[in-house]
Amino acid sequence: MIKSIEEKQNKLEIDLTGQDGNVFNLIGVGGRLCKQLGLNSDVFTRKMMSGDYENAVKVFDEYFGDYVTLYR
């Protein structure tokens, strides 16, 4: 079967229930993605740290939901 290149799914996957789901890992992954995408990582980090864990997950998803799949 031949598929369009737009259908290709190369998303990074993070299990929030495991060790990769801790907020420090999310900040680190997000910082690297910011650099790759030309975004301001300082602004991203401040937004991630401006609330509780749920806020951090929400901010991460808002920034990188098109590139990363988060699992609960």
Side-chain angles (χ1 to χ4, degrees), residues 3-4 12 19 24 39 44 50-52 63:
K3 292 186 175 186
S4 169
L12 178 63
Q19 64 184 2
F24 300 109
L39 302 173
F44 165 76
S50 69
D52 61 6
Y63 268 75

Side-chain angles (χ1 to χ4, degrees), residues 37-38 43 54:
L37 297 170
V43 172
E54 289 304 316

Side-chain angles (χ1 to χ4, degrees), residues 10-50:
N10 282 337
K11 286 189 168 186
L12 178 63
E13 297 180 339
I14 298 176
D15 178 2
L16 295 176
T17 64
Q19 64 184 2
D20 290 340
N22 76 67
V23 73
F24 300 109
N25 182 63
L26 294 176
I27 291 170
V29 170
R32 288 188 294 279
L33 289 171
C34 281
K35 289 180 180 145
Q36 291 175 358
L37 297 170
L39 302 173
N40 187 324
S41 62
D42 292 333
V43 172
F44 165 76
T45 301
R46 279 197 299 276
K47 286 182 180 180
M48 287 279 290
M49 296 176 66
S50 69

Side-chain angles (χ1 to χ4, degrees), residues 3-9:
K3 292 186 175 186
S4 169
I5 193 70
E6 288 84 23
E7 295 178 76
K8 187 176 179 183
Q9 295 289 321

Side-chain angles (χ1 to χ4, degrees), residues 54-65:
E54 289 304 316
N55 173 71
V57 170
K58 180 182 172 191
V59 169
F60 187 95
D61 191 49
E62 286 172 357
Y63 268 75
F64 308 114

